[in-house]
């Protein structure tokens, strides 16, 4: 079992971008339109505390994006190394994200969870989150 005292929780820097992208390819469910170097670099440059990393023995163990737009607190890309799941890494990342939100004045966190990702749904429920059935996410991909 992983000793959570061995975890280092920190904000990502521009130097972490390639490592994070490679990690998401193996540990995250699905891909996002923003899963590229430019997208992650923009995130880190715009909001230096939003991309939170968990490291163990110098290796990436998990990630979460804790974005706050001044109105809402949004959680994305909670991903934990497959060999470290169910050992508190995700809980430590969510605790760090929630502390960030509270410090920024946030009042409620929402998470993007794929409908088909039942493993993630169990993790989010265990952390105290629940689906909000009366809302649907509407998206439009923007071209540049």
């Amino acid at each position: 079992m992983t000793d959570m005292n061995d975890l280092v929780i920190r904000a990502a820097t521009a130097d972490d971008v390639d490592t994070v992208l490679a990690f998401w390819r193996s540990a995250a469910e699905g891909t996002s339109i923003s899963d590229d170097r430019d997208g992650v670099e923009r995130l880190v440059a715009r909001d230096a505390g939003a991309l939170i990393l968990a490291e163990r023995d110098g290796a990436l163990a998990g990630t979460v994006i804790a974005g706050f737009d001044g109105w809402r607190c949004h959680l994305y890309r909670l991903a934990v190394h497959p060999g470290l799941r169910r050992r508190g890494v995700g809980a430590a990342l969510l605790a760090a994200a929630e502390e960030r939100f509270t410090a920024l004045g946030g009042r409620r966190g929402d998470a993007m969870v794929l409908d088909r990702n039942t493993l993630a749904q169990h993790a989010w429920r265990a952390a105290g989150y629940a689906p909000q059935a009366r809302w649907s996410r509407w998206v439009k991909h923007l071209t540049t």
Side-chain angles (χ1 to χ4, degrees), residues 46-114:
R46 182 181 179 279
D47 187 352
L51 178 53
I52 301 170
L53 308 181
E55 295 176 323
R56 182 167 179 253
D57 297 327
L60 193 53
T63 67
V64 69
I65 297 173
F68 182 63
D69 60 14
W71 183 260
R72 301 247 200 260
C73 305
H74 304 286
L75 294 157
Y76 309 93
R77 283 302 195 210
L78 177 62
V80 175
H81 185 284
L84 297 175
R85 292 181 180 156
R86 301 186 56 89
R87 296 183 181 176
V89 175
L93 284 163
L94 287 178
E98 292 168 1
E99 287 173 17
R100 170 181 159 73
F101 290 152
T102 300
L104 293 170
R107 298 181 184 176
R108 176 184 65 197
D110 65 55
M112 300 300 302
V113 184
L114 291 171

Side-chain angles (χ1 to χ4, degrees), residues 9-84:
I9 305 292
R10 66 173 180 86
T13 68
D15 292 339
D16 297 309
V17 172
D18 290 330
T19 301
V20 167
L21 289 168
F23 181 80
W24 285 345
R25 283 192 291 277
S26 65
E29 179 72 22
T31 57
S32 166
I33 194 170
S34 302
D35 285 1
D36 60 31
R37 175 171 260 291
D38 288 341
V40 179
E41 283 178 340
R42 269 191 308 275
L43 170 67
V44 171
R46 182 181 179 279
D47 187 352
L51 178 53
I52 301 170
L53 308 181
E55 295 176 323
R56 182 167 179 253
D57 297 327
L60 193 53
T63 67
V64 69
I65 297 173
F68 182 63
D69 60 14
W71 183 260
R72 301 247 200 260
C73 305
H74 304 286
L75 294 157
Y76 309 93
R77 283 302 195 210
L78 177 62
V80 175
H81 185 284
L84 297 175

